[in-house]
Amino acid sequence: ERQKNIRNFSIVAHIDHGKSTIADRILELTHTVTAREMQDQLLDSMELERERGITIKMNSVELHYDAEDGETYIFHLIDTPGHVDFQYEVSRALAAGEGAVLVVDAAQGVEAQTLSNVYLALDNDLEIVPLINKIDLPAAQPEVVREEIEDVIGIDASEAVLASAKQGIGIQELLEQVVKTVPAPDGELDAPLKALIFDSAYDPYRGVVLTVRVREGVVKVGDKIKMMHSGAEYEVTEVGVNSPKPVAREFLGAGDVGYITASIKDIKSTQSGDTITLANNPASEPLEGYRQMTPMVYSGLYPTDNAKFTDLREALEKLQLNDAALEFEPETSQALGFGFRTGFLGLLHMDVIQERLEREFDLDLITTAPSVTYHVTKTDGEQVDVSNPAEMPEVSAIRYIEEPYVHASIMVPNDYVGTVMELAQRKRGEFDTMDYIDAARVNVKYYMPLSEIIFDFFDKLKSGTRGYASLDYEPAGYRQSDLVTIDILLNSQKIDALSFIVHRDFAAERGRIITGKLKNIIPRQNFEIPVQAAIGAKIIARTNIKAYRKDVTSKIHTGDPDRRAKLLDKQKRGKARMKSVGTVDVPQEAFMAVLKTD
Ligand code: GDP
Ligand code: MG
């Protein structure tokens, strides 16, 4: 039967442990791409992924493997991102297969996202094929890592593949293990169609391209398909697989991973997690969809040119297809005009969305400072959710405010435990537990306010531990905190888009830091501009931007012409993203100044 030679699996790991490079080696070994077409991290096809050297989107590809048992197997491999912000991608990728290759760096060992990815895989009842990568590194300790996988994760690693994706070692062995360990998909070919949409993208020519895992039945060109949740119906124009370029097929059947197009222009009727069936022979029940993600952080997105508001909405709708965790709703700002309050899973996600909107949709945007969602109980008993600091009720109307907490897990070498604890404490962390991973590393857990963790905890953690610490976190409810809203006044005018919320203990310091930063960021104009930070009517910090603009490069005390050119270039781009707020020109950078706490 055709399914017995199909294997569907994802590659998961902590960031940088080598997932995309292993995918490269698999593509080569199976001759899926020619030597001429080959390039590093081939599946990272988005420009932004290549520039930053990270995987942002999952990518599925079909390949054919001639195994040692003489059979040819069809693999559907999905490469996934490793960063905590993109875990939603990983969870949807995992739901499309029967197995997961778990990659662990032989020099780094088990890290925070190694664990979270394993838990996702186990939640999906997947078979796990462990692989220890980078054994070519002088610092590699494959045997120590093997023990870590067994002790910390609790899976059998005695057969773990020892590999070097860089040198092409262990790849064949990996594929043999996939054949043996990952079960073939099941599902009846003659049952009514059930295909799960796990990703999609908008293509201006083909309309919405749906990436699906077919669970039951068959779908082919000309079929009338129906989305079981939205009820929308379409006629299939093409089905196929990515290999890695799209290759049309006659049909997709139970067990296959591939794409469907049906000239779909109406974006809203095709959501990830929906089940596709046939209109005239429908399945009775849809497949289990995905848990809706709650964004961790919100910020306002505004076009620098107010006339581009509708373009921004269309762009967000199209991008939402390709990024199921993105949320947005319209909002207005006195300072910035019409825009959208947009929800993200973290700051990297926010950054990526902004970049994609600018590149893929040719928009110039102002992004306001990110904020978590606060639960506010007012004196009249009403409860409101506030994710835009400008909408925080008057102090006198607030009974109490609760803020989101997370349970954070920090893996770090023993030598840095002191540093980590000090940092966590400074960020209002409450110590939970500390466990040994092996003789030299520990896993420290803290309860921390989400706002402290997403704002600059990670950067500080990395720099304080020479890059050795890894961090993962999950929501841990809400707690009451003594929080205040700090407003910023430029030229005595309150700029709503610059307001932010902090713990009262940090208010004075933050007020001082932010006014200082704004003073440096906002270009001088031909009049003096007072910059003030205030809580209600009380000014807590102030400074002045002196009149007259100076050549900014004269401040760059560097002989390095490269650096000078870079700064000039940055300045130019920054200027393009300037917004006139009342009488003052405010560059994009100013809205992000609150993120830097020193
Ligand atoms: P991903 O984030 O898990 O997808 O990791 P990548 O595949 O992008 O690899 C991260 C970095 O590790 C890149 O610089 C790779 O060249 C490097 N790398 C991957 N595999 C190996 C390996 O086996 N040995 C060595 N020395 N470096 C590797
Ligand atoms: Mg990658």
Side-chain angles (χ1 to χ4, degrees):
E1 187 205 349
R2 75 186 277 280
Q3 284 160 352
K4 103 178 184 322
N5 285 9
I6 298 180
R7 297 291 182 275
N8 298 318
F9 63 97
S10 302
I11 306 181
V12 296
H14 190 77
I15 195 157
D16 271 353
H17 283 200
K19 295 173 291 289
S20 299
T21 310
I22 286 169
D24 287 348
R25 292 295 95 78
I26 296 176
L27 294 178
E28 280 173 359
L29 193 135
T30 56
H31 310 290
T32 308
V33 291
T34 62
R36 197 170 49 82
E37 290 166 326
M38 196 59 213
Q39 49 175 329
D40 287 351
Q41 283 97 21
L42 183 108
L43 293 181
D44 289 342
S45 49
M46 207 192 297
E47 188 184 56
L48 200 56
E49 291 180 315
R50 306 203 65 84
E51 263 173 38
R52 300 199 180 188
I54 55 166
T55 308
I56 293 166
K57 285 294 302 172
M58 64 167 123
N59 279 290
S60 65
V61 52
E62 175 173 298
L63 34 95
H64 296 246
Y65 173 60
D66 298 321
E68 283 164 10
D69 63 8
E71 303 263 333
T72 298
Y73 289 84
I74 298 172
F75 286 168
H76 296 119
L77 169 162
I78 307 180
D79 184 22
T80 64
H83 193 281
V84 58
D85 284 14
F86 303 125
Q87 228 171 57
Y88 193 49
E89 286 286 308
V90 182
S91 68
R92 284 180 297 124
L94 289 171
E98 282 74 35
V101 172
L102 175 71
V103 180
V104 185
D105 185 316
Q108 306 282 330
V110 170
E111 298 276 13
Q113 271 82 46
T114 314
L115 271 182
S116 53
N117 285 324
V118 169
Y119 295 144
L120 282 177
L122 294 175
D123 282 349
N124 282 285
D125 291 325
L126 302 187
E127 285 298 328
I128 295 176
V129 181
L131 176 146
I132 298 169
N133 189 32
K134 308 199 189 183
I135 57 165
D136 60 286
L137 288 176
Q141 293 187 294
E143 291 313 314
V144 173
V145 172
R146 195 197 296 275
E147 255 178 63
E148 267 182 28
I149 297 177
E150 301 210 327
D151 294 350
V152 184
I153 304 180
I155 58 174
D156 179 11
S158 57
E159 307 266 295
V161 182
L162 298 183
S164 162
K166 191 170 188 176
Q167 301 181 344
I169 298 167
I171 306 303
Q172 176 128 13
E173 188 189 338
L174 170 66
L175 298 185
E176 286 298 319
Q177 283 209 16
V178 165
V179 166
K180 292 194 190 84
T181 313
V182 178
D186 50 20
E188 300 290 327
L189 280 174
D190 42 22
L193 176 68
K194 274 189 191 181
L196 183 68
I197 306 176
F198 66 89
D199 198 14
S200 46
Y202 189 81
D203 179 307
Y205 304 104
R206 300 191 289 169
V208 178
V209 181
L210 305 164
T211 311
V212 299
R213 163 66 200 267
V214 184
R215 290 277 169 193
E216 307 266 1
V218 169
V219 58
K220 56 185 188 311
V221 174
D223 282 347
K224 262 250 160 50
I225 51 170
K226 178 177 178 161
M227 312 288 158
M228 293 187 78
H229 287 286
S230 76
E233 295 187 10
Y234 303 95
E235 188 177 313
V236 175
T237 49
E238 188 178 315
V239 301
V241 297
N242 296 313
S243 191
K245 295 197 187 70
V247 179
R249 285 286 155 82
E250 268 171 45
F251 70 95
L252 293 177
D256 283 337
V257 174
Y259 67 84
I260 299 177
T261 65
S263 306
I264 303 170
K265 302 285 178 195
D266 173 22
I267 292 163
K268 292 196 191 97
S269 57
T270 52
Q271 294 293 329
S272 282
D274 204 345
T275 301
I276 301 175
T277 192
L278 293 181
N280 39 26
N281 181 20
S284 51
E285 292 281 321
L287 296 160
E288 199 185 319
Y290 301 112
R291 200 160 44 92
Q292 190 52 46
M293 289 303 290
T294 332
M296 294 272 195
V297 19
Y298 290 81
S299 82
L301 285 185
Y302 292 84
T304 45
D305 174 1
N306 283 332
K308 292 282 173 73
F309 175 76
T310 315
D311 292 0
L312 176 57
R313 184 177 47 225
E314 281 170 14
L316 281 166
E317 283 170 354
K318 285 175 182 162
L319 207 52
Q320 196 174 40
L321 270 181
N322 197 235
D323 191 321
L326 177 65
E327 265 186 26
F328 57 93
E329 59 179 57
E331 74 169 7
T332 35
S333 151
Q334 280 166 14
L336 301 176
F338 294 103
F340 294 91
R341 179 94 337 212
T342 313
F344 308 96
L345 297 179
L347 293 193
L348 178 62
H349 187 213
M350 176 176 112
D351 200 29
V352 161
I353 292 293
Q354 178 178 352
E355 283 266 357
R356 290 189 67 187
L357 286 168
E358 298 199 329
R359 288 171 189 224
E360 296 170 31
F361 301 92
D362 199 22
L363 292 163
D364 274 326
L365 301 173
I366 295 281
T367 318
T368 68
S371 166
V372 299
T373 301
Y374 298 93
H375 289 173
V376 181
T377 303
K378 303 213 284 187
T379 42
D380 63 8
E382 192 197 350
Q383 294 192 318
V384 287
D385 284 358
V386 175
S387 59
N388 178 353
E391 283 168 10
M392 185 59 86
E394 293 282 311
V395 179
S396 59
I398 297 173
R399 187 176 297 160
Y400 60 90
I401 304 175
E402 290 163 302
E403 66 176 327
Y405 263 66
V406 294
H407 195 210
S409 155
I410 302 153
M411 296 192 177
V412 68
N414 292 348
D415 301 352
Y416 295 105
V417 170
T419 316
V420 168
M421 290 183 135
E422 205 182 299
L423 178 61
Q425 237 99 41
R426 239 192 304 137
K427 295 287 187 183
R428 301 190 280 138
E430 179 196 300
F431 178 79
D432 178 26
T433 56
M434 182 164 98
D435 294 304
Y436 279 85
I437 302 165
D438 57 37
R441 287 199 311 147
V442 291
N443 186 0
V444 197
K445 294 188 177 169
Y446 269 87
Y447 288 99
M448 291 183 67
L450 173 64
S451 65
E452 301 289 347
I453 232 176
I454 50 181
F455 291 165
D456 73 345
F457 184 72
F458 189 57
D459 287 347
K460 287 226 162 62
L461 184 67
K462 279 284 182 193
S463 57
T465 62
R466 289 153 150 251
Y468 280 122
S470 65
L471 166 74
D472 189 42
Y473 52 86
E474 54 183 23
Y478 272 73
R479 294 191 190 185
Q480 199 173 320
S481 290
D482 189 8
L483 302 165
V484 291
T485 307
I486 298 187
D487 295 319
I488 299 296
L489 291 79
L490 295 180
N491 215 9
S492 307
Q493 193 190 351
K494 180 173 137 186
I495 309 299
D496 60 355
L498 287 174
S499 297
F500 59 100
I501 294 165
V502 288
H503 193 270
R504 191 181 300 276
D505 292 350
F506 300 159
E509 189 196 3
R510 289 285 187 92
R512 200 165 28 75
I513 293 169
I514 185 98
T515 46
K517 289 231 183 282
L518 290 174
K519 177 183 171 174
N520 290 326
I521 293 169
I522 295 171
R524 296 178 173 204
Q525 294 173 33
N526 53 10
F527 53 92
E528 189 172 77
I529 308 164
V531 182
Q532 296 162 304
I535 300 174
K538 189 172 154 230
I539 303 295
I540 58 165
R542 75 165 285 159
T543 179
N544 286 315
I545 301 170
K546 296 237 158 55
Y548 297 125
R549 183 175 301 186
K550 224 162 101 185
D551 174 12
V552 184
T553 51
S554 67
K555 272 196 273 179
I556 305 166
H557 302 295
T558 171
D560 181 353
D562 257 11
R563 196 173 129 69
R564 207 180 144 89
K566 244 189 220 151
L567 283 166
L568 275 173
D569 185 48
K570 211 171 169 183
Q571 213 186 319
K572 231 188 283 160
R573 274 187 288 135
K575 267 197 199 121
R577 278 216 238 136
M578 192 96 72
K579 190 91 185 172
S580 292
V581 174
T583 44
V584 182
D585 284 343
V586 183
Q588 161 70 62
E589 229 188 316
F591 297 95
M592 290 299 137
V594 307
L595 291 183
K596 298 277 185 287
T597 54
D598 54 22

